[in-house]
Amino acid sequence: MSTEEVKETASVLSVHDDSIKVTEVLKEGDTLTFIIVSQKLSGTGEYHVDRTYEDFEWLQQHLFSQGDVPGIQGVIFPPLPAKPQVNASPRSIKQLGFLALGECQPYCKALETFLQQVAAHSILSKNKAVEVFLTSSDPPGRQKVKKNIFNRLSQAVEEMRKEGHKDVDEFFQNERDHNLILTGCTKTAAEKFLDVVATEQKIAVACGHFSTALHLCVEPGEDPDKQAFSRVCVKLSEVFESIKKNMTSVAENNVNTLGLGLDLESRYQEAEREMLFRRTCKLVELENAQRNVEKAKPVKKAAMEEVKKAAETEFEHTSGVAKQEIARFQGARVEMLQQALVGWCEKQLLTAKESADQFNQHLEVFRGMA
Amino acid sequence: MATSSERSPPPFPDSEDQDVLDAEEVRGRDSDEDEDLFGSTSTSPVTEMDTTPTSDVSMKPPSDIMNDPLIEPMSSQTGNKPASEPSDDFFDLTNNVSVVAAAATKSDDFVDILGSETGAQRGEVVKADVTVEATIDRSEVTAGVIDPLSQQEAKQTSTAPVIDLSGDSQPVTSKIADPLVALFSDAPPAAEAKKPSSANVDLFDDEEGSDIFAEPLQTKPAKQPQKSLFGEPDEDVFGEPLGAISKKPVPKELKEKSVTTKVTAGGPLQDSKPADIFSQAAASTPSVTSTVNPKTNGVHSEEDGDIFAAEATVELSLDSPRNERKKEATAKPSAPAPTSLPAAASLAKPQPPALEELEEEEEEEEEDKFDIFVSVKDPEKIGDGMNAYMAYKVSTQTTLPMFRNKTFTVRRRFSDFLGLYEKLSEKHGPNGFIVPPPPEKSLLGMTKVKVGKEDSSSTDFVERRRGALERYLQRVVNHPSLLQDPDVREFLEREELPRAVSTQALSGAGFLKMINKATDAVSKMTIKMNESDVWFEEKLQEVESADQQFRKLHALVESLVVHRKELSLNTASFAKSAAMLGSAEDNTALSRALSQLAEVEDKMEQLHQEQAASDTFTFAEMIADYIRLLGAVRGSFDHRMKAWQRWQDAQSMLQKKRETEAKLLWANKPDKLQLAKEEIAEWEAKVTQYERDFERVSATVRKEVIRFEREKTKNCKRQVITYLECLLQSQQQLIKYWEAFLPEAKAIA
């Protein structure tokens, strides 16, 4: 145990966790390459590395499969967003939610948050893979990653049986129940909010079309009546251009603040749920071992006892880590949501004020036209 | 009774006379609008004349006739400066006349008439005169009237003065005839007298055609207005000679003036001699016109005034209404015939409104603001099942004297609106007017309403239609000519309207088809028509492209509205899920904030909904209106084209007739030749008339299109301002919401 800790501290991360940025995304054929910049702890240098989505998956797999860390199963792993598609199908867009919007910025932002969360995590940041991922100029793992038990697909099958398992710990039972509700609610909220944003974007586009079409109504000619009408058309076109801008920035604000917040929240809830599920699995394992010990014949009793002991330790470790993680997570998510809401509100307020200003100007112009 | 009837419009008597009157009146006014206000003023007297003589043969009607024309001029003069100079000139002239006519016994009468005018009580005096001559008058009047009637379409306006003159002149003329003839050999010789109608038409056309109206400047154009002003009198004058064959000197002066006008026009029936003789008069006219110009009514009245050498004073004018009343009063008791009552009523009623409205019209024409506001409210489903229909409250607020009350409300069903449109388009469409179309019938929308589904789409439909009907009525009453239509008045005022039957043809697709058909016809005819006027060609193209653009815009706005509604729905469901998230949240501060968020989103949903409505009602509906209106504009082009077609057909027919004549001439068949000649004459008349019709329609269409475009710009601007105000307001509301929410969000930590 102590040796392990020494080992862990040895590989402490050499970059500031909050300096990690996904600055750019390069498109090459079907693959997207992300440029990740981070500041060195020592001095003023910067690391610039380029990583593909496969590299991110490699990192996550390494984080998942740290068998030597006690209670690793109790960790709420920062959720990695789903794979981006260059030629996104409607399904993958739906899966990506907010992250599919815009020109990859939301997605980069999500990846950035993922890396920051990993780097800031007291347990995960100690993993060598993180350091390698962030600093090594060579791409770490371009080979095919094997899916392990943390694979969501395999989990889904087991979930059916174990999710409803009664917990021995009231805290965890509550947390599980609560998480279940919250996961659902957050997901719905994020989806609905996404709908709102999508509609806002449609409105922006429609306003743009209208504005363009108005330009076509402009009639050439010296006739003052005609010119007056043309002026009205041109001005109205400008008005709709403003409305379009307003709508666009409203939608952008929505995406970049509350949208991303809800998306992250929703994925984190999912991650917590996975963690809780893993813990439940451990619990089931332990209970099985206990039952086996009770039922076991004296010959096998010792061996069973051993198994039970191991399961117990692991479960306790997991539960211990899980408790810490949950507490940390609750604090973090409230803060994150608060930031999202405040940021959202401030940005929308700004946009609204700007738009009001513009509309007022337009109105003055029109009133002055008479 | 007399007073009330004077002020208020006729109570819609069933008598046909009434209808005829109204129709004429309306038409007259339509054609004039800006220009020939004089014409319209004169119209009402005309109509009176027509009816009275025909209806009752008693002595009184003539007196009425006399009185009215006299009074009108007087009253109108009040507005203007008493044209002293011109009147002087006229005095001279009249003096001359009287000198000439001194031998004649009637000269006294004439003098009397003049005197009476100067004095306030001419009413009675005139009556006396009239009665003396009544018999003669009547015969002549009817003769004169009939002619005008036949030409009515071409010209109703001028008839009134004609009658006046004839009334006065006939007695005088009959006696003075000889001297007059001697002096003015031209007048009686005018063999063309046979076709008084054509003469009138010419004059009138000239007037219309002239730019007088285009640029109503005061001093410069004064000359032209003169012409027009005098043109009418001329016509009248001509009308008289036709009827009476004898001539008054006064009329001749008028003629001279008219001559001057006509010289430009090229179709003067008269000789230049009279002009020389009365060069004086010509000199005087400019001054008259200059003062008169601002008010056409005044112009008209002045002429009359001049004719009668009346120094119109304010007193006179003030008296005039009273006189009128008196006359009416006298007229009624005197006329024992049952027809006379309605006739008298109709006489009195249409007239005052006509006068006053004309003035108002003129003034308002500039501001384009009528003191009438129509609203359509409270749509209500009446009946059940497929027989159900929607009824609307039509409320009118106005201070226009043509209405009996200041505010009144009637209940109308949708088909009534369509019926009104049909009547109006039938009456005014062929004249080139752009008759605002109502919203078309919608089978789908109405079926939903009938089925009784209270969903948003059916309420939306009803509201849209209500708005469209309201705007439609507004457009109708804001049209200076349409407002005068008795059907419009009836629609707004009358409690019970006879059920419109034939609107079925207008329903839904049928209506659209009709418009499309009209358009097709137009486009086809354009190919055939060798367009002489580039303006129309260009305009038609503009209208076509505007139509396409508006359709495109409409589709875009509609999709925008759809998105807005979607946004409102989505916002609502987000609000709901935010509320759920809030209630599921353990952290109390966050939970609170989320519930607040849900509330904010709920309010925003409201805003989005309002915005959608604003988009719908300010833009989508406005554009839909304009698509319909553009259809009407094309319809007016179509009518112009038809007039052209008719003219062309007549021309080719004339050509044929001429050829036949040539053949007959060559074949030496004198018996048939006579017939052919007559036919040629007939077709020549037709050709000229149709040509004039075409020109008149063209002028109207041009004016209407210009008006339409001006209105369009104005209306668009108004709508945009409303829209922006709404937008700004909702943005400010949004700011308030965010500002209220911000502290909540900050308080989460």
Side-chain angles (χ1 to χ4, degrees):
Chain A
M1 185 83 181
S2 61
T3 49
E4 268 174 17
E5 262 176 1
V6 171
K7 209 175 91 193
E8 292 293 317
T9 40
S11 68
V12 74
L13 206 55
S14 62
V15 297
H16 284 292
D17 55 60
D18 53 358
S19 72
I20 302 169
K21 292 272 181 295
V22 178
T23 55
E24 242 183 291
V25 54
L26 304 171
K27 207 182 277 181
E28 276 174 50
D30 275 356
T31 53
L32 293 170
T33 311
F34 304 93
I35 308 295
I36 296 151
V37 179
S38 52
Q39 241 151 37
K40 286 175 189 169
L41 273 180
S42 57
T44 54
E46 271 185 354
Y47 288 110
H48 286 248
V49 291
D50 59 315
R51 297 285 179 262
T52 61
Y53 186 75
E54 281 70 34
D55 297 329
F56 279 92
E57 275 187 325
W58 172 87
L59 174 62
Q60 205 183 28
Q61 285 311 326
H62 270 266
L63 294 177
F64 283 158
S65 54
Q66 305 177 77
D68 51 348
V69 180
I72 187 73
Q73 310 281 28
V75 171
I76 301 174
F77 289 101
L80 180 66
K83 191 174 163 119
Q85 303 285 320
V86 175
N87 299 313
S89 64
R91 211 177 107 248
S92 75
I93 284 180
K94 190 154 189 281
Q95 202 187 354
L96 277 171
F98 281 98
L99 305 183
L101 297 172
E103 296 280 310
C104 292
Q105 289 106 334
Y107 194 80
C108 291
K109 193 90 187 120
L111 284 181
E112 194 175 293
T113 317
F114 166 73
L115 288 177
Q116 284 175 1
Q117 298 280 355
V118 169
H121 198 278
S122 56
I123 298 170
L124 301 179
S125 65
K126 295 189 179 81
N127 194 302
K128 198 90 185 75
V130 181
E131 175 75 14
V132 170
F133 183 88
L134 288 173
T135 58
S136 167
S137 54
D138 294 325
R142 294 264 156 111
Q143 74 273 39
K144 197 89 178 152
V145 218
K146 255 192 269 164
K147 309 273 175 181
N148 62 2
I149 52 152
F150 299 119
N151 191 312
R152 285 163 204 213
L153 273 177
S154 62
Q155 191 192 342
V157 185
E158 275 179 273
E159 221 165 354
M160 310 286 274
R161 273 183 285 145
K162 292 183 184 165
E163 189 119 78
H165 191 86
K166 181 105 177 68
D167 212 299
V168 287
D169 193 331
E170 207 187 321
F171 169 82
F172 281 105
Q173 185 63 52
N174 282 347
E175 190 59 30
R176 273 165 59 189
D177 292 346
H178 188 218
N179 170 263
L180 204 62
I181 299 168
L182 268 189
T183 312
C185 284
T186 320
K187 210 167 175 180
T188 326
E191 275 167 11
K192 298 291 177 203
F193 196 56
L194 184 62
D195 287 345
V196 170
V197 171
T199 317
E200 280 165 353
Q201 285 175 334
K202 279 191 225 164
I203 291 176
V205 171
C207 286
H209 286 321
F210 190 64
S211 166
T212 323
L214 274 171
H215 263 292
L216 297 177
C217 286
V218 173
E219 294 163 346
E222 300 293 306
D223 183 6
D225 280 340
K226 246 190 252 175
Q227 281 181 339
F229 184 67
S230 296
R231 266 207 307 281
V232 171
C233 282
V234 170
K235 274 318 285 181
L236 186 59
S237 162
E238 282 171 30
V239 169
F240 269 87
E241 199 57 43
S242 301
I243 298 174
K244 180 193 164 188
K245 269 191 203 135
N246 168 40
M247 263 302 158
T248 315
S249 56
V250 164
E252 251 169 42
N253 295 342
N254 282 342
V255 173
N256 290 334
T257 55
L258 192 59
L260 278 181
L262 283 174
D263 177 71
L264 185 61
E265 164 75 359
S266 146
R267 280 184 292 122
Y268 249 110
Q269 291 287 356
E270 201 85 20
E272 194 203 5
R273 190 168 158 204
E274 277 166 28
M275 184 278 281
L276 287 169
F277 175 68
R278 289 193 302 268
R279 195 194 140 269
T280 312
C281 289
K282 292 286 167 218
L283 176 64
V284 172
E285 225 173 278
L286 176 61
E287 282 174 353
N288 282 345
Q290 275 170 342
R291 231 173 287 132
N292 285 345
V293 170
E294 279 160 23
K295 283 188 219 159
K297 287 159 190 168
V299 196
K300 283 187 183 169
K301 193 112 184 176
M304 289 298 182
E305 200 68 43
E306 197 101 320
V307 173
K308 193 202 110 180
K309 260 259 156 35
E312 211 168 41
T313 332
E314 202 177 352
F315 177 68
E316 268 159 26
H317 271 298
T318 307
S319 295
V321 172
K323 255 191 182 149
Q324 284 174 23
E325 283 283 290
I326 288 168
R328 195 186 57 83
F329 168 63
Q330 293 301 358
R333 67 176 275 273
V334 169
E335 197 188 329
M336 188 272 295
L337 280 179
Q338 192 232 2
Q339 272 175 8
L341 284 174
V342 170
W344 182 51
C345 198
E346 279 169 347
K347 279 197 167 173
Q348 297 294 40
L349 195 53
L350 195 69
T351 306
K353 278 180 177 164
E354 278 173 6
S355 304
D357 227 38
Q358 273 190 337
F359 294 156
N360 205 17
Q361 279 173 18
H362 286 306
L363 189 56
E364 288 309 309
V365 170
F366 266 101
R367 283 191 177 136
M369 257 164 93
Chain B
M1 167 65 201
T3 43
S4 71
S5 61
E6 200 183 65
R7 286 283 140 195
S8 59
F12 310 111
D14 297 333
S15 66
E16 283 187 339
D17 305 12
Q18 180 56 39
D19 292 356
V20 173
L21 282 180
D22 292 339
E24 278 173 37
E25 218 181 291
V26 171
R27 244 181 265 154
R29 229 164 270 146
D30 292 356
S31 53
D32 324 321
E33 280 210 292
D34 336 342
E35 326 155 35
D36 15 321
L37 296 179
F38 356 92
S40 48
T41 20
S42 50
T43 335
S44 50
V46 176
T47 41
E48 289 162 28
M49 295 299 290
D50 299 5
T51 41
T52 39
T54 43
S55 58
D56 22 329
V57 193
S58 67
M59 301 305 228
K60 256 79 204 231
S63 70
D64 290 9
I65 295 156
M66 289 300 291
N67 291 340
D68 293 9
L70 290 177
I71 289 151
E72 276 178 43
M74 302 307 288
S75 60
S76 47
Q77 259 178 345
T78 49
N80 317 321
K81 295 148 213 168
S84 52
E85 283 185 42
S87 61
D88 292 355
D89 292 25
F90 276 105
F91 253 111
D92 298 352
L93 295 171
T94 43
N95 289 342
N96 298 346
V97 174
S98 54
V99 171
V100 175
T105 48
K106 282 292 147 115
S107 63
D108 298 2
D109 290 33
F110 195 68
V111 174
D112 288 5
I113 293 166
L114 294 176
S116 62
E117 279 155 14
T118 35
Q121 326 86 340
R122 62 220 127 123
E124 280 93 61
V125 182
V126 173
K127 223 197 287 169
D129 302 334
V130 175
T131 45
V132 176
E133 309 140 10
T135 43
I136 308 160
D137 282 12
R138 231 179 295 125
S139 58
E140 280 179 7
V141 168
T142 42
V145 169
I146 289 156
D147 294 1
L149 277 176
S150 62
Q151 325 146 352
Q152 257 172 5
E153 286 193 7
K155 249 252 112 181
Q156 306 91 344
T157 42
S158 57
T159 31
V162 176
I163 293 151
D164 304 356
L165 294 172
S166 61
D168 308 285
S169 59
Q170 285 155 3
V172 182
T173 41
S174 57
K175 265 122 220 195
I176 307 166
D178 299 6
L180 284 179
V181 172
L183 287 173
F184 311 101
S185 56
D186 14 311
E192 304 93 306
K194 279 258 166 168
K195 293 167 197 165
S197 57
S198 61
N200 287 348
V201 175
D202 283 5
L203 296 172
F204 200 63
D205 283 0
D206 296 352
E207 287 171 19
E208 277 195 17
S210 62
D211 316 338
I212 300 160
F213 310 104
E215 343 152 2
L217 295 179
Q218 289 220 334
T219 43
K220 283 249 167 170
K223 282 223 167 177
Q224 279 170 328
Q226 278 178 333
K227 295 175 199 168
S228 61
L229 298 176
F230 288 99
E232 289 178 28
D234 301 337
E235 298 163 16
D236 310 46
V237 173
F238 285 111
E240 292 173 34
L242 307 174
I245 307 169
S246 58
K247 255 287 123 137
K248 224 209 245 172
V250 178
K252 267 177 192 167
E253 297 170 15
L254 297 174
K255 271 186 225 156
E256 300 162 10
K257 283 152 210 167
S258 65
V259 169
T260 49
T261 3
K262 269 171 218 157
V263 170
T264 50
L269 298 172
Q270 288 161 328
D271 310 4
S272 51
K273 284 171 205 164
D276 300 348
I277 297 162
F278 297 100
S279 54
Q280 265 189 343
S284 65
T285 43
S287 62
V288 176
T289 43
S290 61
T291 49
V292 173
N293 263 349
K295 291 219 174 181
T296 26
N297 288 345
V299 174
H300 202 55
S301 57
E302 272 180 31
E303 296 169 30
D304 296 39
D306 301 324
I307 294 163
F308 300 109
E311 290 165 3
T313 54
V314 180
E315 281 175 33
L316 288 178
S317 61
L318 284 176
D319 291 351
S320 60
R322 245 186 275 147
N323 290 342
E324 260 180 76
R325 255 170 259 155
K326 263 185 240 160
K327 278 153 222 161
E328 281 165 35
T330 51
K332 261 172 234 157
S334 64
T339 39
S340 65
L341 260 177
S346 60
L347 288 184
K349 275 162 215 162
Q351 195 189 337
L355 266 177
E356 284 158 64
E357 246 91 73
L358 283 173
E359 273 172 42
E360 267 160 61
E361 232 177 83
E362 268 220 352
E363 287 165 358
E364 258 124 51
E365 191 88 356
E366 318 238 309
E367 295 157 40
D368 229 12
K369 230 177 87 197
F370 291 84
D371 197 9
I372 179 162
F373 180 79
V374 183
S375 63
V376 176
K377 282 181 294 209
D378 302 342
E380 188 189 350
K381 195 173 108 177
I382 293 183
D384 280 314
M386 287 323 278
N387 288 326
Y389 63 90
M390 296 300 292
Y392 306 82
K393 243 188 210 165
V394 178
S395 306
T396 313
Q397 275 183 305
T398 181
T399 54
L400 294 183
M402 65 187 281
F403 295 102
R404 263 172 293 197
N405 300 312
K406 290 237 184 290
T407 57
F408 39 89
T409 303
V410 288
R411 205 136 185 87
R412 292 283 177 262
R413 55 182 292 180
F414 182 68
S415 50
D416 293 335
F417 288 84
L418 292 186
L420 174 66
Y421 168 73
E422 232 189 329
K423 281 185 206 157
L424 290 179
S425 66
E426 218 168 88
K427 265 188 273 182
H428 302 283
N431 289 329
F433 283 99
I434 299 172
V435 181
E440 51 274 340
K441 255 188 178 172
S442 160
L443 275 185
L444 182 68
M446 203 45 210
T447 312
K448 267 190 192 167
V449 173
K450 277 176 181 168
V451 170
K453 264 201 275 175
E454 283 297 317
D455 65 341
S456 65
S457 74
S458 83
T459 46
D460 187 65
F461 167 77
V462 169
E463 175 57 22
R464 274 188 184 217
R465 169 169 281 183
R466 185 207 61 76
L469 289 175
E470 186 171 290
R471 289 190 305 278
Y472 154 67
L473 275 192
Q474 276 291 348
R475 286 206 173 88
V476 169
V477 299
N478 281 342
H479 194 293
S481 312
L482 297 182
L483 177 61
Q484 307 298 328
D485 193 286
D487 279 325
V488 172
R489 226 157 33 185
E490 188 170 306
F491 182 86
L492 295 177
E493 260 188 336
R494 194 163 165 187
E495 209 52 60
E496 287 293 321
L497 211 58
R499 174 94 173 79
V501 220
S502 49
T503 60
Q504 295 307 317
L506 280 182
S507 67
F511 183 77
L512 277 181
K513 233 184 273 165
M514 192 183 76
I515 285 181
N516 286 339
K517 232 192 286 167
T519 332
D520 287 350
V522 171
S523 52
K524 263 181 228 147
M525 282 162 99
T526 351
I527 302 166
K528 271 193 277 171
M529 180 163 176
N530 182 12
E531 183 60 86
S532 51
D533 197 334
V534 190
W535 188 87
F536 282 100
E537 208 170 3
E538 281 176 4
K539 268 296 169 232
L540 188 60
Q541 269 174 8
E542 274 172 30
V543 167
E544 300 267 338
S545 73
D547 182 66
Q548 277 182 4
Q549 271 148 12
F550 272 121
R551 275 172 204 278
K552 196 174 164 198
L553 286 182
H554 189 252
L556 288 173
V557 176
E558 285 291 356
S559 80
L560 181 61
V561 169
V562 168
H563 292 323
R564 291 254 199 225
K565 282 180 180 160
E566 192 184 306
L567 180 59
S568 140
L569 281 181
N570 286 340
T571 311
S573 67
F574 174 61
K576 223 174 274 167
S577 64
M580 275 181 36
L581 189 60
S583 65
E585 181 56 54
D586 268 355
N587 185 308
T588 42
L590 185 56
S591 168
R592 219 177 92 94
L594 286 173
S595 320
Q596 292 284 329
L597 171 69
E599 271 176 43
V600 169
E601 288 294 322
D602 265 334
K603 285 181 200 155
M604 274 183 204
E605 185 230 326
Q606 207 56 43
L607 278 187
H608 291 319
Q609 218 163 8
E610 281 160 23
Q611 193 57 54
S614 165
D615 281 352
T616 308
F617 290 111
T618 21
F619 283 118
E621 290 296 277
M622 175 183 84
I623 293 169
D625 276 6
Y626 275 103
I627 292 172
R628 280 195 286 266
L629 278 168
L630 282 172
V633 172
R634 284 196 288 190
S636 73
F637 277 95
D638 183 27
H639 282 302
R640 175 173 168 271
M641 222 65 76
K642 276 180 188 152
W644 184 82
Q645 198 74 26
R646 210 165 44 151
W647 172 35
Q648 295 303 308
D649 289 348
Q651 236 168 10
S652 59
M653 185 59 95
L654 177 62
Q655 193 58 39
K656 264 184 219 154
K657 298 282 177 210
R658 281 200 175 122
E659 278 163 15
T660 342
E661 186 204 18
K663 268 182 209 155
L664 289 172
L665 207 62
W666 191 71
N668 200 13
K669 287 181 182 164
D671 48 334
K672 283 182 186 170
L673 198 59
Q674 186 52 37
L675 191 72
K677 278 208 166 101
E678 272 167 24
E679 272 182 351
I680 285 172
E682 184 192 326
W683 280 100
E684 263 169 357
K686 271 186 187 165
V687 166
T688 32
Q689 175 164 350
Y690 289 158
E691 184 180 0
R692 259 154 220 160
D693 279 354
F694 170 68
E695 268 155 22
R696 187 174 46 85
V697 172
S698 293
T700 314
V701 169
R702 188 189 271 256
K703 210 168 54 203
E704 284 281 288
V705 168
I706 288 169
R707 180 179 180 273
F708 165 77
E709 288 186 335
R710 208 166 280 161
E711 285 286 300
K712 182 176 75 171
T713 310
K714 222 180 279 172
N715 190 23
C716 283
K717 205 157 38 183
R718 213 181 309 131
Q719 294 287 342
V720 173
I721 288 175
T722 330
Y723 183 73
L724 273 173
E725 277 167 353
C726 171
L727 210 56
L728 190 59
Q729 209 187 352
S730 84
Q731 210 57 234
Q732 275 157 352
Q733 202 61 45
L734 212 55
I735 292 172
K736 265 187 215 153
Y737 293 156
W738 288 122
E739 275 171 348
F741 181 64
L742 191 55
E744 293 287 338
K746 280 184 173 158
I748 291 171

